[in-house]
């Protein structure tokens, strides 16, 4: 059975690029256009990994990860932050919220898939 990954990014093109890479690697994909939209799509179904942007309208990625980790079904779901932010302070803020990995845009799909494969357990 395919593993399910949620992509949260306000950029349609990023969601498409990441989605194509993930689907090509055999994953199922759920998309959210910002943190609020993504939370509304979490209905208790198994999500194996979340890939989230940091800078988004309505609810940014750090706030989204904090909210995600408060939900019992998703407390242990690994999160990769995919962002243009590369400052150490932002990385630490993301890590404190519960993010397991940090990938900086622009990114190579194979680098992202490598991070995904490390965090999505068989």
């Amino acid at each position: 059975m395919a593993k399910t990954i949620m992509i949260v990014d306000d950029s349609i093109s990023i969601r498409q690029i990441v989605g194509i890479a993930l689907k090509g690697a055999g994953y199922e994909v759920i998309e959210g256009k910002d943190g609020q939209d993504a939370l509304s799509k979490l209905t208790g179904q198994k999500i194996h990994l979340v890939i989230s942007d940091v800078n988004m309208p309505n609810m940014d990625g750090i706030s989204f990860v904090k909210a995600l980790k408060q939900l019992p079904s998703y407390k242990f779901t690994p999160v990769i932050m995919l962002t243009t932010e590369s400052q150490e302070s932002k990385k630490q803020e993301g890590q404190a919220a519960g993010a397991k990995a940090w990938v900086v845009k622009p990114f190579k799909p194979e680098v992202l898939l490598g991070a995904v494969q490390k965090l999505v357990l068989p």
Side-chain angles (χ1 to χ4, degrees):
M1 192 173 121
K3 306 280 187 200
T4 303
I5 297 178
M6 175 174 264
I7 305 167
V8 187
D9 201 304
D10 56 322
S11 164
I12 293 169
S13 58
I14 292 292
R15 289 197 313 265
Q16 287 174 335
I17 291 164
V18 174
I20 288 167
L22 292 172
K23 288 173 190 167
Y27 296 102
E28 289 193 16
V29 173
I30 298 172
E31 294 183 11
K33 64 181 188 292
D34 58 47
Q36 275 182 329
D37 183 47
L39 284 175
S40 74
K41 293 180 178 178
L42 294 172
T43 56
Q45 75 276 42
K46 177 71 176 155
I47 303 284
H48 297 87
L49 176 75
V50 173
I51 299 173
S52 178
D53 189 10
V54 171
N55 299 312
M56 298 180 286
N58 301 319
M59 180 187 278
D60 68 79
I62 305 282
S63 300
F64 166 69
V65 173
K66 287 178 182 170
L68 176 79
K69 296 296 182 177
Q70 295 302 310
L71 301 171
S73 299
Y74 304 105
K75 188 175 184 175
F76 299 108
T77 303
V79 178
I80 296 175
M81 302 308 290
L82 178 64
T83 178
T84 55
E85 298 284 349
S86 59
Q87 301 100 319
E88 201 52 45
S89 60
K90 271 288 184 203
K91 287 182 187 177
Q92 287 170 351
E93 195 180 345
Q95 203 170 20
K100 293 279 182 246
W102 196 274
V103 177
V104 178
K105 296 175 193 171
F107 65 97
K108 290 187 167 76
E110 59 271 19
V111 171
L112 180 65
L113 285 174
V116 166
Q117 286 160 352
K118 286 184 184 126
L119 291 171
V120 175
L121 303 172

